[in-house]
Amino acid sequence: MSWIKFAVAGIALCAGASVASAQGGPPDNGMRGKMEDMQEAQRKELRQVLTEDQRKIFDVNADAMKERREEMMKQRQRGADSRLTRLDQIFGSSAATV
């Protein structure tokens, strides 16, 4: 896939994610899966044009980026959990189910 196709697909997925965010939530699992598949395909294509030394650096950076993204997702979940706990403390356990 050419970089132009990746760019267009990326813009479309970002627009979908923005709509989901505006509606009050993160992208659904289907959208998230598409985004991850596209990122993986792009990484594979990029690796093909790199030298062996460049691939090593690219892989280290890609792994670090994935770890940061996973940590950010965990932090967001912890924040959501703490907000629900706080609502439970204020309004009782039924607040989390509303």
Side-chain angles (χ1 to χ4, degrees), residues 22-53:
Q23 293 174 345
D28 63 16
N29 289 338
M31 178 70 72
R32 189 178 309 279
K34 288 178 186 178
M35 292 168 64
E36 290 171 358
D37 291 345
M38 190 180 80
Q39 289 171 347
E40 183 62 31
Q42 186 178 31
R43 277 192 291 273
K44 287 180 181 178
E45 189 169 314
L46 285 171
R47 285 186 93 252
Q48 291 176 357
V49 299
L50 299 175
T51 66
E52 189 61 36
D53 290 337

Side-chain angles (χ1 to χ4, degrees), residues 15-90:
S18 294
V19 168
S21 179
Q23 293 174 345
D28 63 16
N29 289 338
M31 178 70 72
R32 189 178 309 279
K34 288 178 186 178
M35 292 168 64
E36 290 171 358
D37 291 345
M38 190 180 80
Q39 289 171 347
E40 183 62 31
Q42 186 178 31
R43 277 192 291 273
K44 287 180 181 178
E45 189 169 314
L46 285 171
R47 285 186 93 252
Q48 291 176 357
V49 299
L50 299 175
T51 66
E52 189 61 36
D53 290 337
Q54 290 171 326
R55 284 184 192 136
K56 291 175 187 176
I57 295 169
F58 179 83
D59 290 342
V60 168
N61 290 336
D63 290 343
M65 184 173 63
K66 183 178 179 181
E67 289 174 12
R68 284 191 306 269
R69 186 171 43 249
E70 289 172 355
E71 182 57 34
M72 286 178 11
M73 289 174 63
K74 288 177 188 176
Q75 288 176 356
R76 287 183 190 146
Q77 184 59 46
R78 284 192 298 263
D81 291 345
S82 68
R83 287 188 295 274
L84 287 176
T85 300
R86 183 69 178 133
L87 286 173
D88 285 346
Q89 292 170 348
I90 296 170

